[in-house]
Amino acid sequence: MRYSLLLHAPEPAAGDVPEEVMAQFRAAFQKYAKDLDAAAVLVSADILQPSSVSTTVTLRGGSVQIQDGPFAETKEQLAGAFVVEVPDLDAALAWAEQCPGAHYGVIEVRPSAIVFKDGQWRQPS
Amino acid sequence: MAAAELTVRERTASIARASYGRLLAMLAARSGDIAAAEDALADAFVQALSAWPGSGIPDHPEAWLFTVARNRERNRVASAAHRTSVPMEDAAEPTSPAPSDTEGPDRRLELMFVCAHPAIDPAARTPLMLQTVLGLDAKRIADAFAVPAPTLAQRLTRAKRRIRDARIPFCVPAPAVLPSRLPPVLEAIYGAYAIGWREPLAHEALDLATTLADLMPGEAEVLGLAALTALSASRSAARTTSGGTFVPLDEQDPSAWDWALIALGEAFLDRAHALSRPGRFQLEAAIQSAHADRARTGTTDRAALRKLHEALVRLAPSLGAHVALAATIGDTEGPAAGLAHLDRLEGDAVRRFQPAWATRADLLARAGRADEARAAYEKAISLTTDAGMREWLRVQPRAGVGSSRCRR
């Protein structure tokens, strides 16, 4: 089963987080990604740019609306996504617990509904 | 000169290690401000490193360090914008501090009670104790607890601020409240011992437990905890292969165990038993002691272990204790009985509890239910985020079957 571990976290302003703290979190994420990889459960890992760089696309009544900025103004934004292939929710939760982001944000664990693989959409195994 | 300097440096470092907790406890008890005491003590060590290579190490290095640190603290208070109205003691700095300065009572016990005070976040208690009583590096603590270093730093800072601002008293609780205040201290030390199966802080837990046992020699559970940490630390080296793969207790080579630590643990346990007040830590220590006996007798007394595990479950019915009991039931009555005990455990937690699945897999394998065993091993592996443990679980479905193979 494929799960996305979605990291939601408050977005610090530039300079809010001292460089040495950033370096320590980078090291923690480095270890986390390597651990996921070593367990052969990692599909992909992305840490996202700030929501101010995001663009939203909507199609309403036949017209495309492209807007800059995040979809909704909330305190916490999607900050990263780790896609893992594990047998079940318990295993996905075991990995979510290890995510460094869980210490300052919230990890949402969501199963994939359908996955595009080898040229077509498939039910996740 | 360079060689002599190195020696002074090394000796200073060893003095720092030996006296850190004692000095910090004395300084912090005066002001209630642990962070300020840490800064002052760090300054004193820096000053020692620059002064001692020239002047030689003073006769009473601890007293020297204490005096310098105390004066640093005073200067800081005096230069602070918000000058307090607290009367300062005589600020004259003695040029050669007397040993009597540090002869007062050992205040580490008070410091331990402060660290494990009910008003302190339970998640901060063990790290706080490791940092203040043993002077352990924050990075090392963060690594051991698998917490990002900034998160740990924040947690510790918050706890210290709370101790200062809420005026948590540096005192040993009165006998009337001791029964409720001592267990959190023991739990905090146990916390250093029980982080994951690797026990990265086994020797630090032992240091804390023996310090506490020296300070409270009449408390049976204090001695029991010292015995438990000593006996467990005795097996640190035997617990993993050189490649980092897990080695279960029953497959460890007793010649790799630390015999001095086993003897130390047994001595603590004897003293605890002499007080005739049984408790959870004494039982856990007795279980460790029964396993250590294999080094002498060549066999493990399974019946005795089962009795101890049953007593432990009665006294402290944690999920881990129940799973361990299921394993010993499997050893003494056969795997079906062990599985029956596992099946009786209820709740959501057991479904996500890795040791429960590893034990179930082992019992199923021994019951000859190979397919179910394989599935249970798969489940255990999927719940294991540690590579060394996963490595071991992976080879189990193909390995021969022994007894209680999951114990550490």
Side-chain angles (χ1 to χ4, degrees):
Chain A
M1 189 68 182
R2 187 176 288 196
Y3 292 86
S4 289
L5 313 186
L6 304 171
L7 165 55
H8 302 269
E11 289 186 326
D16 269 5
V17 183
E19 174 50 33
E20 72 257 33
V21 173
M22 288 294 283
Q24 285 167 327
F25 271 110
R26 268 198 294 274
F29 272 107
Q30 166 80 350
K31 181 178 183 305
Y32 181 56
K34 285 197 171 215
D35 286 350
L36 286 166
D37 216 13
V41 298
L42 186 63
V43 176
S44 72
D46 288 38
I47 295 292
L48 305 179
Q49 293 199 28
S51 61
S52 56
V53 191
S54 80
T55 308
T56 53
V57 178
T58 26
L59 267 169
R60 292 287 183 273
S63 66
V64 183
Q65 282 185 23
I66 295 178
Q67 278 186 322
D68 66 333
F71 172 69
E73 285 296 333
T74 53
K75 201 167 128 261
E76 299 197 322
Q77 294 292 345
L78 184 65
F82 293 81
V83 181
V84 295
E85 191 78 56
V86 290
D88 52 32
L89 180 63
D90 294 346
L93 293 175
W95 283 106
E97 268 173 41
Q98 301 290 319
C99 182
H103 293 280
Y104 58 83
V106 175
I107 313 295
E108 178 185 357
V109 178
R110 237 208 257 184
S112 296
I114 192 163
V115 169
F116 191 77
K117 203 178 168 191
D118 301 330
Q120 61 175 312
W121 287 98
R122 298 162 194 271
Q123 294 293 325
S125 50
Chain B
M1 183 63 201
E5 224 168 85
L6 191 66
T7 318
V8 170
R9 238 167 212 289
E10 283 168 355
R11 284 177 62 199
T12 306
S14 107
I15 289 166
R17 264 195 306 277
S19 54
Y20 185 88
R22 229 179 353 253
L23 288 170
L24 185 72
M26 283 197 303
L27 290 163
R30 293 159 52 93
S31 62
D33 190 337
I34 292 176
E38 283 171 336
D39 289 347
L41 193 53
D43 283 354
F45 282 122
V46 168
Q47 195 163 323
L49 279 173
S50 76
W52 292 358
S55 67
I57 292 178
D59 291 342
H60 306 288
E62 270 197 30
W64 191 99
L65 288 162
F66 177 72
T67 305
V68 171
R70 190 189 55 195
N71 291 346
R72 281 297 160 106
E73 254 190 328
R74 275 187 192 148
N75 292 342
R76 211 169 297 216
V77 172
S79 64
H82 52 80
R83 191 178 246 283
T84 64
S85 58
V86 177
M88 278 186 275
E89 291 167 42
D90 175 23
E93 180 170 348
T95 44
S96 61
S100 61
D101 271 6
T102 49
E103 263 177 6
D106 190 331
R107 307 211 63 168
R108 282 178 298 175
L109 187 54
E110 281 100 316
L111 183 57
M112 284 178 161
F113 276 101
V114 166
C115 292
H117 192 278
I120 298 297
D121 170 13
R125 293 175 191 167
T126 303
L128 194 57
M129 214 181 260
L130 289 165
Q131 193 190 39
T132 59
V133 179
L134 299 184
L136 206 64
D137 180 31
K139 172 86 173 64
R140 176 99 207 281
I141 303 173
D143 286 349
F145 283 86
V147 168
T151 305
L152 180 83
Q154 206 177 32
R155 210 174 276 169
L156 289 171
T157 305
R158 205 180 300 131
K160 287 171 200 165
R161 207 180 298 138
R162 197 168 168 75
I163 289 164
R164 184 193 64 195
D165 294 349
R167 293 267 164 107
I168 292 177
F170 281 69
C171 66
V172 175
V177 292
L178 198 60
S180 69
R181 292 287 311 280
L182 185 56
V185 175
L186 298 175
E187 284 296 334
I189 296 174
Y190 186 76
Y193 150 79
I195 334 166
W197 63 273
R198 273 181 196 276
E199 295 170 27
L201 298 175
H203 286 88
E204 284 78 4
L206 173 62
D207 276 356
L208 286 174
T210 50
T211 303
L212 187 64
D214 286 345
L215 298 168
M216 301 189 97
E219 291 289 337
E221 277 293 85
V222 168
L223 297 170
L225 181 61
L228 171 60
T229 52
L231 289 166
S232 175
S234 75
R235 295 201 304 269
S236 299
R239 216 166 258 135
T240 49
T241 64
S242 52
T245 303
F246 172 66
V247 181
L249 208 171
D250 287 333
E251 288 168 24
Q252 287 168 17
D253 175 5
S255 68
W257 294 346
D258 184 326
W259 296 78
L261 284 180
I262 291 177
L264 178 69
E266 300 288 356
F268 274 126
L269 193 55
D270 287 346
R271 282 171 57 199
H273 285 162
L275 295 167
S276 306
R277 281 199 308 275
R280 169 203 162 186
F281 293 117
Q282 293 168 73
L283 277 172
E284 286 202 41
I287 288 167
Q288 300 291 329
S289 166
H291 282 294
D293 258 357
R294 175 159 67 87
R296 272 194 294 273
T297 62
T299 60
T300 304
D301 186 345
R302 306 279 170 199
L305 272 171
R306 176 165 176 182
K307 282 206 184 72
L308 289 167
H309 277 285
E310 282 170 346
L312 182 60
V313 158
R314 273 196 300 274
L315 209 61
S318 69
L319 194 49
H322 269 293
V323 170
L325 174 60
T328 59
I329 291 174
D331 289 341
T332 48
E333 242 182 87
L339 286 166
H341 187 79
L342 273 185
D343 287 338
R344 277 197 293 275
L345 302 178
E346 284 169 359
D348 221 26
V350 68
R351 212 194 43 180
R352 298 209 290 125
F353 193 54
Q354 191 266 4
W357 283 102
T359 302
R360 177 178 294 278
D362 175 54
L363 291 167
L364 285 167
R366 284 159 53 198
R369 292 155 67 175
D371 288 348
E372 289 163 273
R374 231 184 321 273
Y377 274 121
E378 284 305 315
K379 178 75 178 174
I381 289 165
S382 80
L383 292 172
T384 307
T385 56
D386 182 277
M389 176 63 94
R390 206 164 46 228
E391 206 43 55
W392 178 77
L393 286 167
R394 271 210 183 107
V395 300
Q396 290 318 296
R398 292 188 296 280
V401 289
S403 62
S404 303
R405 304 167 51 85
C406 315
R407 263 185 217 113
R408 57 184 189 155

